[in-house]
Amino acid sequence: SADKGEKKHKGKSVSPSATILGYPISIFFIVVNEFCERFSYYGMRAVLVLYFKYFLQWDDDFATTIYHTFVALCYLTPILGAIVADSWLGKFKTIVYLSLVYTLGQIIMAISAIHDITDHNKDGTPDDMTLHIALSMVGLLLIALGTGGIKPCVAAFGGDQFEDHQEKQRSTFFSIFYLSINAGSLLSTIITPILRAQECGIHKKMQCYPLAFGVPAALMVVALIVFIVGSGMYNKTAPQGNIIVKVCRCIGFAIKNRSRHRSSQHPKREHWMDWADEKYDKLLIAQVKMVLKVLFLYIPLPMFWALFDQQGSRWTLQATTLNGNFGFMTIQPDQMQTVNPILILVLVPIMDSVIYPLIAKCKLNFSPLKRMTVGMFLAALAFIAAALVQIQIDGTLPTFPSSSESQAKFINMVDRKLDIKAGINDVPLEPYMVLQCGGSNVSFCLQFEDIVSKPEQGANAIRQNFYSISPEYEEVTILIYVKDIYVLLKRYLYGSNIQPVMDMSPNTVHMAWQIPQYFLMTAGEVVFSVTGLEFSYSQAPSNMKSVLQAGWLLTVAVGNIIVLIISEAATLDDQWAEYILFASLLVLVCIIFAVMAYFYTYMDPAKIEAQFAERKPEELEPDEKDRKKSLEMTKKDAVENHKEDRRSSRGSSSDEEEVQTKI
């Protein structure tokens, strides 16, 4: 059905959206768009760190660094998107323009993973890795700008589609919207690792990263098309100015004004924000004080995200050294990330309907800040569990030849036997065989990087640089790969002896050992993240919930930056030691946060705001009277055009805030 006539919307005449069962048809385009976009983002991110390691051939530390740089950018750009949408373009245009940027980035990522582009010798390895790296970095930069920029806009734009009498439908919409987010992320983290494990290529079949990135790119194209198709049905609000900018200007003026009046002749003020009183009204200043009080509590929070987001980097790399055979199926290392969203769906209702009510019956004061403290502690325990698993893994890994033991080595990665001449003798190399030359007077050698880890399904890189050959007696070390079994042998070029030196068995520590650390981390997320959002919302002024949302997203970005700093600064040889370091730092921060929480006094923002609204004219300062009179006149002139939208924005703000972090 469709309501007849037109209505005024932000000073514009727009046709009301048609409805089905009381819901605007326009929201279905938004829900499908969100599902496809979340599939695109999480699908690409699920295989990203393995792409860095096995395709771009970066070591674990550098792969982790770039991964967390990308995630940090994804959580910094929402602030930019919110400012652009609210101050200039509006939500609709911001979503469309940045989705175009987002889609282009995904397509460039898929192209960067095509090894045949620069594989001139057709051996399966790109010959110009610089081009692939450059394309990857451009693609990731565009994706970070796109996904972050639309993050604060999509849910709010969905809420704008409802009228005042559709409050119940609006609430249901946000539940469906949240479900679409989880469905997209869960399905993508299952499907894209399967796509990556396929083999593709024109000249040489390799793991199919182009497909793993290409499908998310295709879903982003679908997301953009679906969103644009619904354009004629949307209620599009015009930009009205960004509250984040206004808050920043108020704080900046207070700091500037305070620095100008440092002499003793100027009386002190109760709070440093009171120095903004000359330009801004007392209600705004009081609201900024409430926001700053909560933001101060945010200072320790990035350390939690520093551990949490390593599920996609360090923990995924750890999974590559684990046995993923579950009998009825084999789990890919990057598929272990699906444990987190699955556990969320299980733990959230258990916490809400069982754990929290049980604690309440025991008459324990399990306040929001105490819950967040427990969440941080659980995350620290998760990293201790990861360290214990890593110790088990390290005990099963072989000691690889070092550069002091050999000068070079060669891995035959082609699908046929290679016959190489050493003097007058043939040195046949079977597929996946490594030839490693040693000795101080080596004139016969095939150059290759040092073997430092097991090949990923035999898919290491190749170097075929031939040196001069002499008929000297020489010893070589050979690594043979056959169906996940590695055998290190010694062979003599002028003899027929082949002596086994070391058996490198398949990964023996089972991937199921990662489940406890995922359980602890997810339990920590539920009591930390969900509670943190509820706490922030309850403590935020009515018109500044978006400010605290921006602050919350900023803690995620800073947490990923912390990972970069620690990964580069900590020179620890053992990975388990790095896990313990992160756990120790979070325990320390957890103690600091607990102390801060102990001295925090909870606020009632609505009550504080009401005190200012109920003040009598004689209680106002002269400049406040003028500002209030001017404001009332402005409101009276614009009430017909803006009344309906102010009610709509107030009605939808609560639901919008609940989904922002997951988006």
Side-chain angles (χ1 to χ4, degrees):
S1 66
D3 297 326
K4 296 180 180 180
E6 292 186 344
K7 63 175 183 175
K8 288 284 186 177
H9 201 73
K10 298 298 177 191
K12 298 181 180 180
S13 294
V14 297
S15 299
S17 174
T19 62
I20 296 179
L21 300 176
Y23 293 89
I25 293 179
S26 57
I27 67 166
F28 296 101
F29 295 94
I30 296 172
V31 169
V32 173
N33 166 270
E34 184 65 14
F35 170 82
C36 294
E37 188 275 327
R38 289 292 85 187
F39 187 109
S40 178
Y41 174 73
Y42 281 108
M44 178 276 305
R45 208 177 87 167
V47 301
L48 189 59
V49 74
L50 299 187
Y51 169 75
F52 290 157
K53 179 175 181 177
Y54 294 115
F55 187 90
L56 299 184
Q57 300 177 11
W58 292 344
D59 62 38
D60 290 1
D61 289 337
F62 192 63
T64 300
T65 297
I66 300 301
Y67 175 88
H68 287 284
T69 301
F70 167 70
V71 176
L73 286 175
C74 290
Y75 283 93
L76 286 172
T77 50
I79 299 175
L80 176 63
I83 293 174
V84 169
D86 291 345
S87 301
W88 294 295
L89 295 180
K91 298 183 187 74
F92 176 77
K93 289 184 178 179
T94 301
I95 294 171
V96 171
Y97 294 158
L98 289 181
S99 291
L100 285 169
V101 173
Y102 191 169
T103 303
L104 179 61
Q106 289 283 35
I107 293 173
I108 292 175
M109 275 300 295
I111 294 173
S112 74
I114 303 175
H115 64 273
D116 291 303
I117 293 177
T118 61
D119 186 12
H120 305 302
N121 59 4
K122 303 179 182 180
D123 63 354
T125 302
D127 298 323
D128 185 7
M129 193 62 75
T130 303
L131 175 63
H132 294 273
I133 293 174
L135 288 174
S136 300
M137 295 303 101
V138 171
L140 290 176
L141 183 62
L142 294 177
I143 292 171
L145 179 61
T147 188
I150 68 175
K151 196 183 294 291
C153 301
V154 181
F157 187 70
D160 290 343
Q161 307 310 306
F162 294 87
E163 306 296 334
D164 286 348
H165 66 275
Q166 296 176 306
E167 184 176 348
K168 182 179 179 181
Q169 288 90 338
R170 181 190 293 119
S171 178
T172 305
F173 159 73
F174 281 108
S175 298
I176 297 173
F177 189 84
Y178 190 79
L179 179 63
S180 71
I181 295 170
N182 282 279
S185 61
L186 178 59
L187 288 176
S188 64
T189 49
I190 293 174
I191 293 173
T192 51
I194 295 175
L195 299 177
R196 174 194 63 81
Q198 307 303 309
E199 291 188 347
C200 61
I202 299 174
H203 307 300
K204 177 71 177 180
K205 301 296 183 184
M206 303 294 289
Q207 288 209 344
C208 205
Y209 288 100
L211 184 61
F213 290 140
V215 170
L219 264 292
M220 195 58 221
V221 172
V222 173
L224 178 58
I225 293 174
V226 168
F227 187 75
I228 293 176
V229 166
S231 175
M233 303 181 186
Y234 298 140
N235 289 332
K236 302 169 186 175
T237 60
Q240 303 177 57
N242 193 281
I243 189 65
I244 296 177
V245 175
K246 189 174 182 180
V247 169
C248 291
R249 287 176 177 173
C250 183
I251 294 173
F253 180 80
I255 295 173
K256 187 177 180 180
N257 196 32
R258 176 68 183 90
S259 63
R260 289 176 178 175
H261 303 85
R262 288 191 170 276
S263 61
S264 57
Q265 64 183 14
H266 298 287
K268 293 183 178 181
R269 303 189 183 184
E270 184 178 352
H271 191 281
W272 64 270
M273 273 303 305
D274 292 331
W275 288 96
D277 188 55
E278 283 82 350
K279 186 175 181 180
Y280 296 93
D281 61 71
K282 293 187 182 301
L283 174 59
L284 176 64
I285 294 173
Q287 291 171 329
V288 173
K289 288 179 182 178
M290 288 186 278
V291 168
L292 291 176
K293 187 176 180 181
V294 178
L295 289 178
F296 178 72
L297 274 181
Y298 280 2
I299 293 176
L301 304 190
M303 199 64 217
F304 173 87
W305 300 114
L307 277 69
F308 178 83
D309 278 332
Q310 290 190 59
Q311 293 176 95
S313 57
R314 290 297 194 194
W315 286 15
T316 299
L317 293 172
Q318 183 187 66
T320 63
T321 61
L322 295 170
N323 177 13
N325 184 9
F326 281 79
F328 61 95
M329 65 182 299
T330 299
I331 300 295
Q332 299 295 328
D334 31 3
Q335 283 182 312
M336 281 300 292
Q337 297 176 53
T338 61
V339 174
N340 174 258
I342 291 172
L343 286 175
I344 285 178
L345 297 176
V346 175
L347 291 179
V348 168
I350 290 178
M351 288 290 184
D352 289 339
S353 60
V354 179
I355 304 298
Y356 293 155
L358 184 62
I359 293 176
K361 285 185 178 181
C362 295
K363 297 182 179 180
L364 296 175
N365 181 21
F366 199 35
S367 65
L369 293 180
K370 289 180 180 178
R371 294 182 190 179
M372 294 174 68
T373 305
V374 171
M376 298 170 79
F377 184 71
L378 288 173
L381 290 180
F383 261 61
I384 293 175
L388 295 175
V389 173
Q390 190 63 47
I391 292 173
Q392 282 186 285
I393 295 170
D394 292 345
T396 66
L397 295 179
T399 303
F400 295 98
S402 64
S403 57
S404 61
E405 298 170 345
S406 63
Q407 292 185 341
K409 52 189 78 75
F410 171 79
I411 298 182
N412 173 21
M413 292 305 302
V414 299
D415 55 2
R416 64 184 186 278
K417 181 174 69 174
L418 292 182
D419 293 319
I420 300 175
K421 289 284 186 180
I424 59 175
N425 285 15
D426 291 333
V427 184
L429 289 176
E430 300 294 335
Y432 307 115
M433 182 179 288
V434 175
L435 176 64
Q436 175 178 309
C437 305
S440 57
N441 298 315
V442 176
S443 54
F444 161 68
C445 199
L446 300 173
Q447 189 177 32
F448 191 76
E449 301 167 348
D450 288 333
I451 303 174
V452 295
S453 63
K454 293 181 179 181
E456 185 207 21
Q457 299 181 0
N460 273 31
I462 308 170
R463 300 292 183 273
Q464 297 189 55
N465 299 324
F466 290 82
Y467 287 75
S468 60
I469 297 175
S470 72
E472 296 181 3
Y473 180 85
E474 209 52 70
E475 178 185 280
V476 298
T477 304
I478 302 170
L479 173 63
I480 303 175
Y481 166 85
V482 182
K483 294 182 180 179
D484 285 335
I485 299 175
Y486 302 81
V487 183
L488 194 62
L489 306 171
K490 281 191 177 180
R491 173 174 180 168
Y492 299 95
L493 295 187
Y494 288 114
S496 59
N497 295 330
I498 297 180
Q499 302 175 351
V501 177
M502 177 193 337
D503 287 336
M504 287 188 278
S505 62
N507 299 329
T508 54
V509 181
H510 203 275
M511 204 174 284
W513 282 106
Q514 278 197 322
I515 293 177
Q517 65 200 55
Y518 273 100
F519 176 83
L520 289 168
M521 182 61 76
T522 307
E525 178 191 5
V526 170
V527 297
F528 176 87
S529 182
V530 176
T531 304
L533 286 173
E534 294 173 356
F535 166 79
S536 300
Y537 185 85
S538 68
Q539 298 296 287
S542 58
N543 64 335
M544 294 189 183
K545 299 185 187 300
S546 61
V547 178
L548 285 183
Q549 179 61 36
W552 182 268
L553 295 175
L554 189 61
T555 65
V556 182
V558 175
N560 282 272
I561 294 173
I562 290 174
V563 179
L564 306 182
I565 296 172
I566 295 178
S567 297
E568 293 297 323
T571 55
L572 300 173
D573 295 331
D574 297 315
Q575 184 57 53
W576 66 265
E578 183 178 292
Y579 289 145
I580 295 297
L581 173 62
F582 274 104
S584 302
L585 290 174
L586 184 55
V587 169
L588 177 61
V589 169
C590 182
I591 295 172
I592 295 173
F593 180 77
V595 174
M596 295 171 64
Y598 178 78
F599 290 100
Y600 181 85
T601 51
Y602 289 83
M603 302 176 293
D604 186 349
K607 185 176 180 180
I608 296 174
E609 291 172 335
Q611 292 174 352
F612 286 89
E614 294 171 357
R615 285 189 301 169
K616 299 178 181 179
E618 57 269 19
E619 296 176 350
L620 300 175
E621 299 293 334
D623 58 334
E624 283 189 279
K625 292 180 182 179
D626 294 338
R627 284 198 297 265
K628 186 171 183 179
K629 183 177 180 180
S630 176
L631 181 62
E632 288 175 350
M633 292 178 64
T634 302
K635 286 183 178 179
K636 184 177 180 181
D637 293 337
V639 68
E640 292 301 325
N641 291 336
H642 296 276
K643 184 178 180 181
E644 181 178 346
D645 294 309
R646 287 200 303 272
R647 289 201 308 268
S648 177
S649 63
R650 286 197 299 269
S652 62
S653 61
S654 173
D655 292 322
E656 292 166 9
E657 295 299 329
E658 292 178 1
V659 298
Q660 286 297 328
T661 288
K662 189 63 181 178
I663 302 172

